[in-house]
Amino acid sequence: MPLNIKDLKITSSDFAPLSRLADKHAGDKGNVLPKLTVSGVPEGTKELAVICHDPDAPLAHGFTHWTVYAIDPRATDLSDAQEKYRVGPNGAGDMQYYGPQPPAGHGDHHYYFWVYALDTNVEGTPTREEFLDKYADNIIEQNRIVGLYSN
């Protein structure tokens, strides 16, 4: 999968890149989705997808905390994405945001909030792995913001 980064951006007013996510965003301390904003969506985008993934989780493929599809490419504020767009499964199989909850003493985990601009519509609610396998060639551009969290 090519890494295409030009103008597409995902930012948050709740955390700066590589800074600690507040406890309220943790799975066991509020589970509040951070405020996310998207800008610079390229022409030809049919929809956006956002995936939050922790590659540091002690599992073979890390842990996916959130998948959301069918985001209107004109959308900028994703604060209501959980309610407004098609949410897919997280790593536990639930259809919702599941905030950071790394094992105690495991150190900082990196939470990648990826945004993908796609030239096609995503069908159904694929897992992160299914999405990347099926839609890698349909990604026009992608970018991410990374937050840290530890217990």
mmCIF file of all heavy atoms in Angstrom, residues 32-56:
data_model
loop_
_atom_site.group_PDB
_atom_site.id
_atom_site.type_symbol
_atom_site.label_atom_id
_atom_site.label_comp_id
_atom_site.label_asym_id
_atom_site.label_seq_id
_atom_site.Cartn_x
_atom_site.Cartn_y
_atom_site.Cartn_z
ATOM 1 N N VAL A 32 -14.367 8.484 25.914
ATOM 2 C CA VAL A 32 -14.830 9.594 25.091
ATOM 3 C C VAL A 32 -13.937 9.707 23.858
ATOM 4 O O VAL A 32 -12.714 9.824 23.978
ATOM 5 C CB VAL A 32 -14.793 10.919 25.897
ATOM 6 C CG1 VAL A 32 -15.164 12.100 25.013
ATOM 7 C CG2 VAL A 32 -15.695 10.823 27.113
ATOM 8 N N LEU A 33 -14.561 9.685 22.692
ATOM 9 C CA LEU A 33 -13.826 9.845 21.438
ATOM 10 C C LEU A 33 -13.163 11.221 21.405
ATOM 11 O O LEU A 33 -13.819 12.220 21.665
ATOM 12 C CB LEU A 33 -14.792 9.716 20.256
ATOM 13 C CG LEU A 33 -14.211 9.890 18.863
ATOM 14 C CD1 LEU A 33 -13.262 8.752 18.520
ATOM 15 C CD2 LEU A 33 -15.336 9.974 17.843
ATOM 16 N N PRO A 34 -11.858 11.296 21.109
ATOM 17 C CA PRO A 34 -11.231 12.616 20.973
ATOM 18 C C PRO A 34 -11.856 13.392 19.816
ATOM 19 O O PRO A 34 -12.325 12.808 18.840
ATOM 20 C CB PRO A 34 -9.760 12.298 20.664
ATOM 21 C CG PRO A 34 -9.564 10.881 21.006
ATOM 22 C CD PRO A 34 -10.892 10.212 20.898
ATOM 23 N N LYS A 35 -11.841 14.712 19.940
ATOM 24 C CA LYS A 35 -12.313 15.556 18.842
ATOM 25 C C LYS A 35 -11.324 15.445 17.695
ATOM 26 O O LYS A 35 -10.125 15.625 17.883
ATOM 27 C CB LYS A 35 -12.444 17.001 19.312
ATOM 28 C CG LYS A 35 -13.547 17.183 20.317
ATOM 29 C CD LYS A 35 -13.632 18.608 20.780
ATOM 30 C CE LYS A 35 -14.715 18.697 21.844
ATOM 31 N NZ LYS A 35 -14.598 19.878 22.660
ATOM 32 N N LEU A 36 -11.836 15.137 16.520
ATOM 33 C CA LEU A 36 -11.009 14.974 15.331
ATOM 34 C C LEU A 36 -11.520 15.886 14.229
ATOM 35 O O LEU A 36 -12.730 16.035 14.042
ATOM 36 C CB LEU A 36 -11.047 13.522 14.848
ATOM 37 C CG LEU A 36 -10.538 12.475 15.838
ATOM 38 C CD1 LEU A 36 -10.883 11.071 15.348
ATOM 39 C CD2 LEU A 36 -9.045 12.623 16.056
ATOM 40 N N THR A 37 -10.592 16.474 13.489
ATOM 41 C CA THR A 37 -10.914 17.351 12.379
ATOM 42 C C THR A 37 -10.136 16.900 11.150
ATOM 43 O O THR A 37 -8.956 16.565 11.255
ATOM 44 C CB THR A 37 -10.536 18.810 12.722
ATOM 45 O OG1 THR A 37 -11.192 19.184 13.922
ATOM 46 C CG2 THR A 37 -10.940 19.756 11.619
ATOM 47 N N VAL A 38 -10.810 16.900 10.015
ATOM 48 C CA VAL A 38 -10.190 16.516 8.751
ATOM 49 C C VAL A 38 -10.168 17.734 7.827
ATOM 50 O O VAL A 38 -11.119 18.511 7.785
ATOM 51 C CB VAL A 38 -10.977 15.367 8.081
ATOM 52 C CG1 VAL A 38 -10.430 15.063 6.702
ATOM 53 C CG2 VAL A 38 -10.937 14.122 8.940
ATOM 54 N N SER A 39 -9.078 17.878 7.089
ATOM 55 C CA SER A 39 -8.963 18.961 6.104
ATOM 56 C C SER A 39 -8.126 18.478 4.925
ATOM 57 O O SER A 39 -7.456 17.452 5.005
ATOM 58 C CB SER A 39 -8.333 20.205 6.740
ATOM 59 O OG SER A 39 -7.017 19.920 7.182
ATOM 60 N N GLY A 40 -8.167 19.247 3.844
ATOM 61 C CA GLY A 40 -7.336 18.938 2.676
ATOM 62 C C GLY A 40 -7.748 17.699 1.917
ATOM 63 O O GLY A 40 -6.910 17.031 1.315
ATOM 64 N N VAL A 41 -9.036 17.380 1.930
ATOM 65 C CA VAL A 41 -9.517 16.183 1.232
ATOM 66 C C VAL A 41 -9.294 16.356 -0.270
ATOM 67 O O VAL A 41 -9.704 17.366 -0.851
ATOM 68 C CB VAL A 41 -11.011 15.935 1.556
ATOM 69 C CG1 VAL A 41 -11.549 14.765 0.738
ATOM 70 C CG2 VAL A 41 -11.193 15.687 3.048
ATOM 71 N N PRO A 42 -8.650 15.393 -0.906
ATOM 72 C CA PRO A 42 -8.337 15.534 -2.334
ATOM 73 C C PRO A 42 -9.578 15.399 -3.226
ATOM 74 O O PRO A 42 -10.550 14.732 -2.869
ATOM 75 C CB PRO A 42 -7.346 14.404 -2.597
ATOM 76 C CG PRO A 42 -7.614 13.397 -1.540
ATOM 77 C CD PRO A 42 -8.099 14.156 -0.344
ATOM 78 N N GLU A 43 -9.495 16.036 -4.394
ATOM 79 C CA GLU A 43 -10.557 15.893 -5.388
ATOM 80 C C GLU A 43 -10.680 14.424 -5.772
ATOM 81 O O GLU A 43 -9.701 13.688 -5.786
ATOM 82 C CB GLU A 43 -10.235 16.728 -6.624
ATOM 83 C CG GLU A 43 -10.479 18.204 -6.436
ATOM 84 C CD GLU A 43 -10.396 18.968 -7.744
ATOM 85 O OE1 GLU A 43 -10.924 18.480 -8.759
ATOM 86 O OE2 GLU A 43 -9.796 20.050 -7.725
ATOM 87 N N GLY A 44 -11.899 14.033 -6.089
ATOM 88 C CA GLY A 44 -12.144 12.656 -6.494
ATOM 89 C C GLY A 44 -12.451 11.728 -5.337
ATOM 90 O O GLY A 44 -12.710 10.539 -5.547
ATOM 91 N N THR A 45 -12.442 12.256 -4.119
ATOM 92 C CA THR A 45 -12.747 11.426 -2.949
ATOM 93 C C THR A 45 -14.241 11.151 -2.902
ATOM 94 O O THR A 45 -15.047 12.070 -2.917
ATOM 95 C CB THR A 45 -12.302 12.127 -1.652
ATOM 96 O OG1 THR A 45 -10.891 12.340 -1.703
ATOM 97 C CG2 THR A 45 -12.644 11.286 -0.432
ATOM 98 N N LYS A 46 -14.595 9.863 -2.839
ATOM 99 C CA LYS A 46 -16.009 9.478 -2.724
ATOM 100 C C LYS A 46 -16.421 9.341 -1.269
ATOM 101 O O LYS A 46 -17.576 9.577 -0.931
ATOM 102 C CB LYS A 46 -16.265 8.185 -3.476
ATOM 103 C CG LYS A 46 -16.114 8.360 -4.964
ATOM 104 C CD LYS A 46 -16.962 7.400 -5.712
ATOM 105 C CE LYS A 46 -16.866 7.743 -7.185
ATOM 106 N NZ LYS A 46 -17.328 6.717 -8.044
ATOM 107 N N GLU A 47 -15.503 8.908 -0.432
ATOM 108 C CA GLU A 47 -15.778 8.824 0.999
ATOM 109 C C GLU A 47 -14.473 8.778 1.758
ATOM 110 O O GLU A 47 -13.416 8.487 1.204
ATOM 111 C CB GLU A 47 -16.675 7.644 1.356
ATOM 112 C CG GLU A 47 -16.021 6.299 1.446
ATOM 113 C CD GLU A 47 -16.964 5.223 1.984
ATOM 114 O OE1 GLU A 47 -18.000 4.952 1.344
ATOM 115 O OE2 GLU A 47 -16.647 4.636 3.032
ATOM 116 N N LEU A 48 -14.581 9.077 3.048
ATOM 117 C CA LEU A 48 -13.457 8.971 3.967
ATOM 118 C C LEU A 48 -13.692 7.794 4.896
ATOM 119 O O LEU A 48 -14.842 7.438 5.191
ATOM 120 C CB LEU A 48 -13.318 10.246 4.810
ATOM 121 C CG LEU A 48 -13.066 11.547 4.071
ATOM 122 C CD1 LEU A 48 -13.152 12.726 5.037
ATOM 123 C CD2 LEU A 48 -11.717 11.522 3.371
ATOM 124 N N ALA A 49 -12.620 7.229 5.371
ATOM 125 C CA ALA A 49 -12.670 6.209 6.418
ATOM 126 C C ALA A 49 -11.664 6.631 7.481
ATOM 127 O O ALA A 49 -10.633 7.237 7.168
ATOM 128 C CB ALA A 49 -12.307 4.838 5.862
ATOM 129 N N VAL A 50 -11.970 6.331 8.741
ATOM 130 C CA VAL A 50 -11.052 6.613 9.842
ATOM 131 C C VAL A 50 -10.891 5.346 10.660
ATOM 132 O O VAL A 50 -11.877 4.661 10.972
ATOM 133 C CB VAL A 50 -11.554 7.777 10.726
ATOM 134 C CG1 VAL A 50 -10.659 7.957 11.944
ATOM 135 C CG2 VAL A 50 -11.606 9.076 9.928
ATOM 136 N N ILE A 51 -9.658 5.043 10.990
ATOM 137 C CA ILE A 51 -9.345 3.870 11.809
ATOM 138 C C ILE A 51 -8.377 4.281 12.905
ATOM 139 O O ILE A 51 -7.370 4.932 12.633
ATOM 140 C CB ILE A 51 -8.731 2.739 10.953
ATOM 141 C CG1 ILE A 51 -9.764 2.240 9.939
ATOM 142 C CG2 ILE A 51 -8.219 1.607 11.837
ATOM 143 C CD1 ILE A 51 -9.250 1.182 8.976
ATOM 144 N N CYS A 52 -8.693 3.887 14.132
ATOM 145 C CA CYS A 52 -7.769 4.075 15.257
ATOM 146 C C CYS A 52 -7.186 2.717 15.598
ATOM 147 O O CYS A 52 -7.925 1.764 15.866
ATOM 148 C CB CYS A 52 -8.501 4.668 16.462
ATOM 149 S SG CYS A 52 -7.421 4.819 17.913
ATOM 150 N N HIS A 53 -5.864 2.645 15.606
ATOM 151 C CA HIS A 53 -5.186 1.361 15.804
ATOM 152 C C HIS A 53 -3.978 1.520 16.730
ATOM 153 O O HIS A 53 -3.251 2.510 16.645
ATOM 154 C CB HIS A 53 -4.722 0.814 14.446
ATOM 155 C CG HIS A 53 -4.124 -0.544 14.523
ATOM 156 N ND1 HIS A 53 -4.875 -1.674 14.750
ATOM 157 C CD2 HIS A 53 -2.848 -0.957 14.433
ATOM 158 C CE1 HIS A 53 -4.076 -2.726 14.783
ATOM 159 N NE2 HIS A 53 -2.842 -2.317 14.586
ATOM 160 N N ASP A 54 -3.797 0.542 17.610
ATOM 161 C CA ASP A 54 -2.661 0.485 18.530
ATOM 162 C C ASP A 54 -1.754 -0.674 18.120
ATOM 163 O O ASP A 54 -2.038 -1.824 18.440
ATOM 164 C CB ASP A 54 -3.160 0.289 19.959
ATOM 165 C CG ASP A 54 -2.046 -0.009 20.964
ATOM 166 O OD1 ASP A 54 -0.857 0.136 20.621
ATOM 167 O OD2 ASP A 54 -2.378 -0.391 22.100
ATOM 168 N N PRO A 55 -0.665 -0.384 17.402
ATOM 169 C CA PRO A 55 0.231 -1.468 16.985
ATOM 170 C C PRO A 55 1.057 -2.033 18.139
ATOM 171 O O PRO A 55 1.683 -3.086 17.996
ATOM 172 C CB PRO A 55 1.125 -0.803 15.933
ATOM 173 C CG PRO A 55 1.158 0.630 16.342
ATOM 174 C CD PRO A 55 -0.204 0.916 16.913
ATOM 175 N N ASP A 56 1.080 -1.340 19.291
ATOM 176 C CA ASP A 56 1.876 -1.779 20.435
ATOM 177 C C ASP A 56 1.160 -2.801 21.309
ATOM 178 O O ASP A 56 1.772 -3.361 22.227
ATOM 179 C CB ASP A 56 2.261 -0.575 21.303
ATOM 180 C CG ASP A 56 3.018 0.477 20.519
ATOM 181 O OD1 ASP A 56 3.921 0.104 19.738
ATOM 182 O OD2 ASP A 56 2.696 1.667 20.666
#
